[in-house]
Amino acid sequence: MKLGIVGLPNVGKSTLFNSLTKAGAESANYPFCTIDPNVGIVPVPDKRIQLLGELYKTKKVTPAVIEFVDIAGLVKGASKGEGLGNQFLSNIREVDAIVHVVRCFEDSNVIHVDGSVDPLRDIETINLELIFSDLEILERRIAKTTKLANNDKKAAKELVLQKRIREHLEEGKLAKTFITEDEDEAAWLSEYNLLTGKPVIFAANVSEDDLADDAASNEMVAQVREYAASENCEVFVICAQIEQEIAELDDDEKAMFLEELGLSESGLDKLIAASYRLLGLISYLTAGEDECRAWTIKLGTKAPQAAGKIHSDFERGFIKAEVVNYKDLLEYGSLAAAREKGLVGMEGKEYVVKDGDVILFRFNV
């Protein structure tokens, strides 16, 4: 899973990135301190594989990972070259979803690029810049398709689609609200990889005081939640500064610190949960003495395709999947004991993998 982090300057974007990845991207109280895209790979915290690792006395525990891409803060007019322009947006065109950091706190010591804090205005500013970036990509596509359209019926059909999408974007609408039931058009639209077509998770960045009750009384967060609900987006509340402090602690200290703050989970945990929900993802597990590992797949994936995540040979030569729920495996202490209790299933090609399944694939190539 790959997530791109966007936001205006000084909203806590790079501070959040630092805390998530411990990558040390420069963060300072002035715009444009992040001038190169920063990339960080983050393991997905998953107690299930840790427990399975202890059970199997495994040599290696390998969690699923998320790749975060942080780009320079965008400002109004970035598409026309304001600030650092939108030159970095190409770096997040390949991401699965966008994490939009929105400032929901007042602090006279932290300058807001527009002079005041207004989360809905900030969201609109970023949306417009993403639309302009998409229009730029689309214009190039249209120029290319126009050359082919006279002699190619399929290109002519695609050109009509491209012009319809351009009109949609020029009205200030996001690509994800463009609806088509035509299979060709849906495939082309997906291929364009438009930024405004991607799922969005809003990170509402609040002060420490607002954290404990999940910013229940913060009117700015309420506005973000209302907007997100209307757009089918996820929202999670963080204090980027606190997250950075948490990132420096070991697991025991982190648990104590979160408890003192009245929190049950960190911002990273919230973000991962929101990402998995938004993208419809789950994890299945493999376990043994050599390695215990989590594999991220789409909800609804069948056993052969899940096996293909490990190696294409597993999918090509799939025979059966031996499946047990991780809780049953942990409770009875071994696959053999769980099998005796009738808790291990031999599943075929139509089996839909569930979150928390521990699977042993049988294949032949």
Side-chain angles (χ1 to χ4, degrees), residues 199-226:
V200 175
I201 303 163
F202 289 104
N205 190 13
V206 302
S207 66
E208 182 181 337
D209 293 340
D210 280 338
L211 259 187
D213 65 351
D214 207 33
S217 57
N218 185 313
E219 287 185 19
M220 289 183 280
V221 173
Q223 289 173 8
V224 175
R225 283 183 168 135
E226 187 177 342

Side-chain angles (χ1 to χ4, degrees), residues 74-299:
L74 294 170
V75 292
K76 196 171 186 176
S79 55
K80 300 184 182 74
E82 292 296 321
L84 289 168
N86 61 13
Q87 58 186 298
F88 301 109
L89 285 175
S90 59
N91 294 300
I92 60 166
R93 205 160 280 283
E94 300 302 319
V95 301
D96 299 303
I98 289 172
V99 180
H100 184 165
V101 184
V102 187
R103 179 169 165 179
C104 295
F105 66 90
E106 297 280 2
D107 186 341
S108 58
N109 296 315
V110 181
I111 307 157
H112 190 290
V113 73
D114 286 330
S116 62
V117 181
D118 182 341
L120 294 185
R121 178 201 60 207
D122 294 354
I123 289 170
E124 186 181 353
T125 297
I126 295 294
N127 281 348
L128 278 173
E129 294 310 319
L130 297 182
I131 286 171
F132 289 137
S133 179
D134 281 348
L135 281 168
E136 195 179 307
I137 293 293
L138 211 52
E139 289 296 351
R140 285 186 218 148
R141 289 265 184 179
I142 289 170
K144 190 176 175 182
T145 312
T146 301
K147 292 175 185 175
L148 304 170
N150 288 334
N151 304 310
D152 185 329
K153 284 186 179 178
K154 203 160 188 180
K157 179 181 176 180
E158 186 176 4
L159 183 60
V160 172
L161 169 71
Q162 289 170 343
K163 288 180 177 178
R164 278 168 45 221
I165 299 170
R166 178 175 65 185
E167 187 180 328
H168 183 84
L169 293 172
E170 284 174 344
E171 290 172 359
K173 298 172 184 172
L174 306 179
K176 64 183 175 183
T177 63
F178 182 88
I179 306 297
T180 177
E181 293 180 4
D182 183 283
E183 284 186 18
D184 287 339
E185 290 188 346
W188 286 323
L189 181 56
S190 175
E191 186 188 306
Y192 303 156
N193 225 353
L194 299 175
L195 290 172
T196 61
K198 295 183 183 296
V200 175
I201 303 163
F202 289 104
N205 190 13
V206 302
S207 66
E208 182 181 337
D209 293 340
D210 280 338
L211 259 187
D213 65 351
D214 207 33
S217 57
N218 185 313
E219 287 185 19
M220 289 183 280
V221 173
Q223 289 173 8
V224 175
R225 283 183 168 135
E226 187 177 342
Y227 175 84
S230 70
E231 296 289 326
N232 293 317
C233 299
E234 288 278 345
V235 182
F236 72 104
V237 172
I238 52 147
C239 172
Q241 201 59 52
I242 290 293
E243 288 300 316
Q244 195 157 24
E245 291 177 34
I246 290 172
E248 304 300 321
L249 305 174
D250 63 32
D251 288 347
D252 289 342
E253 290 173 325
K254 191 183 295 183
M256 287 172 61
F257 188 44
L258 287 170
E259 194 177 335
E260 283 173 21
L261 291 170
L263 302 175
S264 58
E265 56 185 354
S266 70
L268 176 59
D269 295 331
K270 289 181 186 177
L271 174 53
I272 289 168
S275 306
Y276 272 62
R277 280 194 304 271
L278 189 67
L279 297 172
L281 300 175
I282 60 170
S283 291
Y284 77 87
L285 316 165
T286 52
E289 290 180 9
D290 287 332
E291 184 182 34
C292 287
R293 183 163 181 165
W295 303 87
T296 302
I297 56 171
K298 282 269 188 188
L299 188 66

Side-chain angles (χ1 to χ4, degrees), residues 284-287 293 295 297 301-311 313-324 335 345-349 351-354 357-364:
Y284 77 87
L285 316 165
T286 52
R293 183 163 181 165
W295 303 87
I297 56 171
T301 300
K302 292 182 179 178
Q305 289 69 49
K309 288 287 287 185
I310 300 174
H311 197 285
D313 284 351
F314 282 35
E315 181 175 357
R316 191 158 51 92
F318 178 88
I319 300 171
K320 289 282 183 185
E322 199 166 5
V323 182
V324 60
L335 192 60
M346 290 298 287
E347 307 291 353
K349 292 182 177 180
Y351 177 73
V352 176
V353 176
K354 300 179 183 67
D357 277 350
V358 181
I359 306 180
L360 176 63
F361 292 108
R362 301 194 182 283
F363 71 103
N364 183 36

